[in-house]
Amino acid sequence: QLVQSGAEVKKPGASVRVSCKASGYTFTSHDITWVRQAPGQGLEWMGWISGYNANTNYLQKLQGRVTMTTDTSTNTAYMELKSLTSDDTAVYYCARVLVTWGGWYSDYWGQGTLVTVSS
Amino acid sequence: DIQMTQSPSSLSASVGDRVSITCRASQSISRFLNWYQQKPGKAPKLLIYAASSLQSGVPSRFSGSGSGTDFTLTISSLQPEDFATYYCQQSHSIPRLTFGGGTKVEIK
């Protein structure tokens, strides 16, 4: 199970940090990916963090603004996004990544966190 | 980055209809293709991975096919609970698991 932090309202230029607490599995055995969905739009992959060694890979257009981390002591993943604009208004999801012979896919998802950027 | 293009972007169908959704990759991704279903206000749900493997608990009316650049999700007999938006996702270019634009299945 993945449980995310609550909705946030931020002003343009601010930062937001969303948490994703995992339970029911060995946290370091699986990676986490973050996906966002702007209102009425499709899913956008934001990035990935290894549960094993915290290596990361980010969507190029978010490079420099996004940071993904994990805290293995609390089985929690975090996504921080800086310099927010109205274009960052979206529901943010974390999802567990399962690595198999058939590729990678996300079998468990958080409930989503709405981040609203408004002055 | 690999681009994923779905078609159609929306469709109208009736309960009991056979529905097919297409996903095309900008380069060959072998069979590294996943399908998700999303209902309004809910997180996506995994339906199919590795192009044609049904996720546990997903009804058998859902099936996936294809390889290389062209893939299809088929619902053999549309049920009321299947009205949703469907997304494909490539996992060839790991860890960048990019999505298609989505296909909304609506009630006719």
Side-chain angles (χ1 to χ4, degrees), chain A residues 7-14 16 35-42 44 46 61-62 65 79 81-93 113-119:
Chain A
E8 303 263 13
V9 179
K10 296 292 182 180
K11 294 192 181 304
V16 69
V35 174
R36 70 179 180 178
Q37 186 169 39
Q41 302 301 307
E44 180 177 50
M46 297 179 65
K61 73 176 188 180
L62 297 177
R65 289 207 301 134
M79 187 285 300
L81 190 60
K82 304 175 184 176
S83 303
L84 293 168
T85 73
S86 58
D87 289 343
D88 296 314
T89 293
V91 176
Y92 290 75
Y93 294 101
T113 296
L114 175 62
V115 175
T116 303
V117 183
S118 173
S119 55

Side-chain angles (χ1 to χ4, degrees), chain B residues 35-56:
Chain B
W35 289 99
Y36 297 86
Q37 176 194 67
Q38 187 183 33
K39 296 182 179 179
K42 300 294 187 182
K45 172 188 173 182
L46 178 69
L47 298 177
I48 288 171
Y49 61 94
S52 61
S53 295
L54 200 64
Q55 172 69 350
S56 175

Side-chain angles (χ1 to χ4, degrees), chain A residues 24-35:
Chain A
Y25 72 94
T26 302
F27 184 69
T28 52
S29 295
H30 295 279
D31 305 337
I32 293 285
T33 188
W34 288 87
V35 174

Side-chain angles (χ1 to χ4, degrees), chain A residues 36-81:
Chain A
R36 70 179 180 178
Q37 186 169 39
Q41 302 301 307
L43 302 173
E44 180 177 50
W45 178 86
M46 297 179 65
W48 158 90
I49 183 165
S50 167
Y52 173 68
N53 58 16
N55 283 349
T56 57
N57 191 293
Y58 303 136
L59 184 65
Q60 188 169 5
K61 73 176 188 180
L62 297 177
Q63 291 271 8
R65 289 207 301 134
V66 68
T67 303
M68 295 176 187
T69 57
T70 57
D71 182 343
T72 57
S73 69
T74 61
N75 293 343
T76 303
Y78 297 93
M79 187 285 300
E80 182 178 25
L81 190 60

Side-chain angles (χ1 to χ4, degrees), chain B residues 4 7 13 19 22 24 28 30-31 43 49 57 63 65 74 77 80 85 87 94 96 98 105 107:
Chain B
M4 307 300 294
S7 61
V19 169
T22 297
R24 175 164 290 175
S28 177
S30 184
R31 292 177 58 81
Y49 61 94
S63 64
S65 64
T74 299
S77 177
T85 301
Y87 294 91
I94 55 174
R96 298 172 175 265
T98 49
V105 177
I107 301 173

